[in-house]
Amino acid sequence: MKHSTGKFNQKKFYEYPENFARFYDLIYHHHRDSVDNDYFQKEIRKTKGKILEIGVGTGRLFTSALNQGADIYGLDISKHMLEVLRKKLRDDQHKRVSLQNITDFRFDFKFDLIIAPFRVMMHLLDKDDQIKALNNVYRHLKRNGRFIFDAFVPDLNQLITGIHNFVDYEGEYVPGKKIKRIVSNTPDLINQIIQIRFRLEWDEDDTLKHEVWDVPLRFFFRYELEHLVERSKFENYKILGDYDGNELNQKSREFILICQKTK
């Protein structure tokens, strides 16, 4: 018998709200480009066949890869994020992106590389959904195809104390118009979930506007990730400790999983 003690709706998927999608590029080009961009672009460039980016968002990685000639497709669960992305694409490229979920997406062709950058798997709170996602990805890979996803190594201090009203971005989105993002989180140690609250505040129409987004993330530990992948259909995998390709060590802050379909 399977038991669940989670207090969150684990079958609900948390898509980006409209204004978070609107300001996503501004914030995350600042936060993430110098972190993971080079790694994923390198993996894309060395792939000769079709590529799929899961959690494509506004195209932070996707548009650069497409402009460099990659045969890349993308999917996301957020219509607002895809609306932003489609405005960057030619009309004939719109067919490359679709509103789908990692657990049940469908294509009538297979891929040589599938990536799920920037915590996509951490949005799956339920272990059954995690296995469904891995196996669905496996089905869509060609033989010797790879699936790469990442998760952060949990900070044990933050898991105890949480974060309270931390300003992680502040700047101007147009000249003279300020924007700020404030982050708080509350850890749920039993269910291995971090309940995050993002609050956006920005100047517009001579008023201070705001929007709040509550989203849970499932945190993982090393051997849990190993057990998870070993329960899936993937035959081989390895875990790196950073985007420079180094092995896991005591200083690692990232889990980067490279799973391979060999059959």
Side-chain angles (χ1 to χ4, degrees), residues 48-231:
K48 303 300 182 184
K50 284 182 166 52
I51 300 159
L52 173 65
E53 181 181 355
I54 298 173
V56 66
T58 63
R60 182 174 64 90
L61 300 172
F62 178 90
T63 51
S64 294
L66 188 62
N67 291 338
Q68 293 177 31
D71 188 7
I72 190 168
Y73 294 76
L75 63 87
D76 205 284
I77 63 169
S78 173
K79 64 180 181 180
H80 297 304
M81 298 286 270
L82 292 179
E83 286 169 1
V84 174
L85 173 55
R86 288 191 178 105
K87 290 177 182 178
K88 303 175 184 179
L89 303 178
R90 301 192 314 260
D91 288 348
D92 64 329
Q93 295 173 333
H94 285 194
K95 63 186 178 182
R96 289 184 173 273
V97 297
S98 56
L99 186 70
Q100 297 195 75
N101 195 294
I102 187 173
T103 59
D104 57 9
F105 70 86
R106 291 290 181 269
F107 288 90
D108 58 6
F109 47 82
K110 294 186 177 182
F111 300 89
D112 292 274
L113 173 67
I114 298 178
I115 60 173
F118 196 27
R119 322 312 188 202
V120 168
M121 288 292 291
M122 298 181 74
H123 287 277
L124 300 179
L125 308 183
D126 181 77
K127 60 183 182 293
D128 291 335
D129 282 335
Q130 294 158 13
I131 292 295
K132 285 179 183 177
L134 287 171
N135 288 340
N136 193 33
V137 167
Y138 181 94
R139 284 192 293 271
H140 283 83
L141 283 171
K142 295 180 182 177
R143 185 178 181 183
N144 295 321
R146 296 174 302 139
F147 174 45
I148 304 176
F149 69 94
D150 59 19
F152 58 72
V153 175
D155 182 324
L156 297 183
N157 289 325
Q158 285 190 16
L159 290 183
I160 295 171
T161 63
I163 298 175
H164 306 284
N165 296 323
F166 174 70
V167 177
D168 77 337
Y169 183 84
E170 192 167 12
E172 293 184 344
Y173 65 96
V174 295
K177 300 289 186 180
K178 295 182 178 180
I179 183 171
K180 177 167 62 176
R181 191 174 75 169
I182 304 164
V183 182
S184 299
N185 70 46
T186 304
D188 177 346
L189 299 181
I190 296 299
N191 294 299
Q192 287 187 221
I193 290 172
I194 301 173
Q195 183 67 33
I196 304 175
R197 168 160 288 193
F198 294 106
R199 178 182 174 91
L200 279 181
E201 297 179 354
W202 71 97
D203 299 326
E204 191 171 24
D205 300 328
D206 297 320
T207 62
L208 179 63
K209 296 192 174 184
H210 74 274
E211 185 170 38
V212 173
W213 182 37
D214 293 317
V215 58
L217 282 183
R218 172 79 151 77
F219 61 88
F220 298 97
F221 293 101
R222 172 188 176 175
Y223 292 115
E224 178 184 12
L225 284 169
E226 292 188 0
H227 283 298
L228 179 65
V229 176
E230 288 167 5
R231 285 184 59 207

Side-chain angles (χ1 to χ4, degrees), residues 237-251:
Y237 70 92
K238 63 180 177 180
I239 306 179
L240 302 178
D242 60 38
Y243 295 104
D244 293 323
N246 295 309
E247 299 295 327
L248 276 174
N249 59 60
Q250 293 298 319
K251 296 181 180 180

